[in-house]
């Protein structure tokens, strides 16, 4: 298919191959970013990154395509210059979230079916090698092949993403626009991450280096694990902590597990909130509210219990070892370890 | 617990199996991309050799004659380096395979033809009749089943159900679904559609859950939790036209125009929680009893079609027409010449290769395929003079 997207679409999806082609056609040179005329682009990209770092929120403002494509490029260059794996992952997730919002809107729009088809082709087929078609039977629904769906849906832990809870027929899964786009969020983020990692610019312009320097100073210090010996944590908690330290985007269920566990072993709100500092979407205000809610200090004033091992197994959060034998809740783990250690000491004596 | 076989048992089986491979070895099915598969050979005394590689069926054929294994396996997975340890093999996808086994069916008839063989005194007795061996009171035993016609019918029903799920829901065309009798107590269903090959274990578990009917939410049928009035009815965007939604709504007799009917039904059942239980019962009943561990294992070695099953002496064989397929006839390919065996059960009935056998405890002369079948099941032992 050799039909091209409009410039308005390139503004919304600057990671598409056509956006790169556009840059190529303008004879853009990296050193042009040192020109005062492009100062506002560098500032815009920098502000966008600052908002991500400080508030954990993507920027949904939309300018004309020349501005958006350049802002996207400058953002990536600044990230490359800062050279922080956590920040890179965070930025990729926010770019994916931004694209997700525009894509949902475009797929919901009551416009030409051919426009939707083109967008689906460019983003799903060309970029992600996945067939998505507007459903002819159900208005405002899309059809995804069962195998394509399963390859992605297993990353979601919520029960409604299980295939059995989907409308399935003749090898197709029917999804609404939100679900269709949600299915590929992680994939778009990973695709961007891969591109940034492979990107090898000849040099970084001085204005970009300056912005990178300023932004780097404002990044919160990465939290380390709690003082407790990691050996005392059950494997599910250790795994979630490792993921969090690596800046991975933990699912909601894993965050609830982590917070309720830490509350159960007596950690205070401050310590628990700081645990989430490395989360790509970290916003201290939101994290604090949620932890306080789980602690029973807000909302219904009910203190949430640590999910059972059975629930964690079902949610794909269990990484049991032989030390977990006989446990029904992760909070028992610490006690079992202590008990075993006690036994060892007795026998040594 | 494995069955203990005597030296004479192993000798008779070796002769029978070698003769089979000599005559029918050319009927062993060559897996696609054979050079990328891991092979496993189980010796008659129960030692498994894995991480083997054969570049052609000829090499495998030579091993079958020379080593005469009890069971021959090939991986569902394709690897860059099949002979290396699992972590270094370089996984390149795996065929999608389903296993339907008698043990998962809970059939009523099973008790009447399940047997235990005492590992202390080798006597056999009907399972469930005694907790310990009636002769020596030992509690160590091995269990075996002699499937009956009802068992085969039950298994075929599940295979047909699976076929329907795979074609109408998952969209796999019939010609890409190949059914084999496993050679013992079940069927293996191989899917030849490569678009499923790169699914990982979790994705396959989700597919298995769909087919088994596990984890359905009442919301997808239209019953939602409501904090004020227990529940409210709101049908999903795509309606109840297909898949599980259709199966359940048909069973309950509801449609998207019968909001009131569903609401009354939930009330009559005693609320949302009871309705959820009812839906779970329906999915359990209508789902297929597959062994999900088999489907989700992407590093498993599977019995090769055309080879003998060491637990029965029957062949894993293609089942071209499910309705007319008779495993006790078509998969029984061991020689018919006479051997003598000592039957360890007071009495038993058997149908193999179109013949019926009424056997009683003691030494009997039977065709080799009967002798091997019973020895494999631990219900008889070969005599000195064999063959």
């Amino acid at each position: 298919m050799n039909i091209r997207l409009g410039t308005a679409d390139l503004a919304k999806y600057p990671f598409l191959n056509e956006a790169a082609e556009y840059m190529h056609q303008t004879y853009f040179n990296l050193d042009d970013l040192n020109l005062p005329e492009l100062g506002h682009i560098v500032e815009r990209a920098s502000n966008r990154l600052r908002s991500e770092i400080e508030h954990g929120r993507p920027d949904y403002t939309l300018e004309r395509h020349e501005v958006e494509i350049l802002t996207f490029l400058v953002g990536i260059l600044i990230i490359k210059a800062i050279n922080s794996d956590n920040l890179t992952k965070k930025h990729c997730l926010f770019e994916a979230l931004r694209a997700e919002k525009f894509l949902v809107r475009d797929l919901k729009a009551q416009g030409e079916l051919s426009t939707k088809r083109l967008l689906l082709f460019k983003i799903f087929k060309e970029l992600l090698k996945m067939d998505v078609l507007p459903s002819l039977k159900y208005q405002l629904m899309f059809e995804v092949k069962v195998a394509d769906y399963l390859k992605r849906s297993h990353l979601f832990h919520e029960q409604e993403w299980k295939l059995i809870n989907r409308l399935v027929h003749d090898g197709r899964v029917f999804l609404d626009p939100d679900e269709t786009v949600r299915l590929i969020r992680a994939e778009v983020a990973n695709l961007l991450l891969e591109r940034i990692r492979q990107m090898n610019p000849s040099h970084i312009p001085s204005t970009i280096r300056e912005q990178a320097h300023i932004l780097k100073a404002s990044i919160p210090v990465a939290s380390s694990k709690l003082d407790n010996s990691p050996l005392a944590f059950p494997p599910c908690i250790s795994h979630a902590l490792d993921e969090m330290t690596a800046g991975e985007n933990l699912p909601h269920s894993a965050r609830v597990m982590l917070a309720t566990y830490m509350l159960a072993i007596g950690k205070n709100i401050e310590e628990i909130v700081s645990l989430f500092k490395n989360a790509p979407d970290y916003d201290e205000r939101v994290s604090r509210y949620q932890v306080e809610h789980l602690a029973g200090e807000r909302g219904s004033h009910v203190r949430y219990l640590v999910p059972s091992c059975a629930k964690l197994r079902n949610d794909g959060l269990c990484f049991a070892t032989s030390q977990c034998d006989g446990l029904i809740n992760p909070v028992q783990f610490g006690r079992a370890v202590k008990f075993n250690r006690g036994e060892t000491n007795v026998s040594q004596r | 617990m494995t069955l203990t076989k005597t030296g004479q048992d192993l000798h008779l089986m070796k002769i029978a199996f070698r003769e089979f491979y000599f005559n029918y070895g050319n009927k062993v099915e060559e897996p696609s991309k054979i050079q990328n598969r891991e092979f496993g050979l189980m010796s008659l005394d129960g030692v498994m050799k894995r991480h083997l590689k054969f570049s052609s069926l000829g090499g495998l054929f030579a091993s079958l004659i020379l080593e005469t294994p009890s069971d021959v396996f090939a991986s569902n997975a394709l690897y860059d380096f099949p002979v290396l340890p699992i972590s270094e093999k370089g996984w390149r996808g795996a065929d999608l395979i389903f296993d339907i086994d008698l043990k998962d069916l809970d059939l009523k008839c099973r008790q009447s033809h399940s047997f235990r063989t005492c590992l202390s005194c080798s006597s056999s007795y009907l399972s469930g009749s005694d907790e310990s061996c009636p002769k020596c009171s030992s509690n160590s035993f091995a269990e075996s089943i002699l499937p009956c016609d009802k068992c085969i019918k039950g298994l075929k029903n599940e295979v047909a159900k699976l076929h329907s799920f795979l074609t109408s829901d998952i969209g796999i065309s019939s010609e890409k679904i190949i059914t084999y009798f496993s050679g013992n107590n079940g069927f293996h269903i191989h899917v030849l559609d490569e678009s499923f090959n790169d699914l990982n274990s979790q994705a396959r578990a989700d597919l298995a859950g769909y087919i088994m009917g596990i984890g359905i939410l009442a919301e997808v049928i239209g019953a939602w939790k409501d904090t004020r009035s227990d529940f409210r009815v709101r049908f999903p965007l795509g309606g109840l036209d297909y898949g599980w939604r259709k199966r359940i709504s048909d069973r309950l007799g509801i449609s998207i125009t019968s909001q009131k009917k569903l609401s009354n039904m939930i009330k009559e059942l005693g609320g949302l929680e009871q309705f959820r239980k009812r839906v779970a019962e329906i999915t359990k009943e209508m789902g297929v009893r597959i062994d999900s561990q088999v489907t989700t294992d992407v590093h498993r070695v599977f019995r090769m079609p055309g080879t003998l099953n060491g637990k029965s002496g029957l062949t894993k064989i293609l089942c071209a027409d499910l309705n007319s397929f008779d495993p006790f006839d078509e998969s029984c390919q061991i020689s018919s010449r006479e051997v003598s065996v000592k039957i360890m059960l007071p009495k038993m009935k058997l149908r193999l290769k179109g013949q019926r056998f009424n056997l009683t405890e003691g030494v009997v002369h039977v065709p080799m395929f009967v002798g091997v079948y019973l020895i494999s099941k631990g219900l008889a032992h070969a005599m000195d003079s064999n063959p």
Side-chain angles (χ1 to χ4, degrees), chain A residues 62-119:
Chain A
L62 191 60
E63 290 274 349
R64 60 184 201 281
H65 73 284
E66 299 93 328
V67 174
E68 286 302 344
I69 294 172
L70 272 173
T71 306
F72 176 74
L73 176 69
V74 171
I76 286 179
L77 286 169
I78 297 175
I79 288 286
K80 197 80 188 168
I82 294 176
N83 193 23
S84 154
D85 205 36
N86 281 354
L87 191 62
T88 310
K89 283 180 187 168
K90 190 179 271 205
H91 181 62
C92 292
L93 180 69
F94 285 129
E95 283 295 336
L97 282 169
R98 184 180 149 84
E100 180 178 326
K101 184 162 180 167
F102 296 135
L103 191 53
V104 168
R105 202 182 291 165
D106 283 343
L107 296 185
K108 279 183 180 171
Q110 301 281 353
E112 281 282 310
L113 196 61
S114 58
T115 314
K116 281 186 195 175
R117 278 186 199 277
L118 180 62
L119 208 51

Side-chain angles (χ1 to χ4, degrees), chain B residues 153-315:
Chain B
K153 194 178 170 194
L155 287 166
K156 284 183 176 181
N157 279 342
E158 294 302 308
V159 174
K161 268 161 67 181
L162 175 62
H163 197 275
S164 162
F165 270 96
L166 293 179
T167 51
S168 69
D169 291 26
I170 311 302
I172 300 167
S173 60
S174 278
E175 60 271 23
K176 287 184 176 173
I177 303 168
I178 313 293
T179 305
Y180 296 98
F181 173 61
S182 73
N184 193 26
N185 297 331
F187 286 87
H188 295 166
I189 293 86
H190 294 226
V191 172
L192 303 183
D193 187 334
E194 288 188 359
S195 62
F196 292 88
N197 284 17
D198 55 351
L199 295 184
N200 65 14
S201 279
Q202 290 148 306
R204 285 169 201 242
D206 192 4
L207 179 60
Y210 184 90
I211 285 162
M212 296 169 87
I214 294 172
I216 197 155
L217 295 169
E219 285 87 337
V220 302
I221 314 299
W224 294 76
K225 188 173 174 59
D226 190 287
T227 43
R228 277 174 295 180
S229 56
D230 182 36
F231 73 90
R232 65 194 155 88
V233 172
R234 180 165 61 86
F235 290 111
L237 187 60
L240 305 169
D241 293 347
Y242 299 121
W244 272 111
R245 296 180 190 190
K246 179 163 174 57
R247 288 184 186 91
I248 295 167
S249 55
D250 282 354
R251 174 65 69 92
L252 294 172
I254 54 165
S255 70
I256 52 165
T257 56
S258 53
Q259 194 159 344
K260 186 92 181 155
K261 189 174 178 183
L262 177 58
S263 185
N264 289 339
M265 187 181 291
I266 298 170
K267 281 179 196 159
E268 278 167 29
L269 281 167
L272 184 63
E273 206 43 52
Q274 294 306 314
F275 179 73
R276 282 184 178 141
K277 283 183 186 163
R278 176 74 190 114
V279 170
E281 280 167 12
I282 293 173
T283 53
K284 191 181 174 191
E285 183 201 323
M286 297 181 88
V288 188
R289 308 280 179 96
I290 55 169
D291 182 341
S292 62
Q293 285 190 335
V294 171
T295 303
T296 56
D297 193 342
V298 293
H299 294 288
R300 205 179 186 90
V301 285
F302 279 85
R303 188 174 303 288
M304 284 183 72
T307 65
L308 290 171
N309 190 320
K311 294 176 198 158
S312 66
L314 303 179
T315 318

Side-chain angles (χ1 to χ4, degrees), chain A residues 118-168:
Chain A
L118 180 62
L119 208 51
L120 290 169
F121 182 82
K122 291 286 176 186
I123 293 178
F124 288 89
K125 185 71 179 176
E126 267 189 8
L127 208 63
L128 306 174
K129 317 288 177 228
M130 175 185 176
D131 283 309
V132 181
L133 297 170
S135 173
L136 296 175
K137 184 169 172 67
Y138 302 107
Q139 209 186 359
L140 276 184
M141 285 193 94
F142 296 88
E143 298 180 11
V144 179
K145 283 182 185 168
V146 169
D148 283 337
Y149 177 83
L150 289 171
K151 274 172 211 164
R152 293 155 178 94
S153 65
H154 73 84
L155 297 169
F156 305 121
H157 300 286
E158 295 86 356
Q159 199 67 12
E160 61 261 33
W161 284 96
K162 298 276 176 218
L163 188 63
I164 194 167
N165 292 314
R166 295 280 144 196
L167 185 64
V168 182

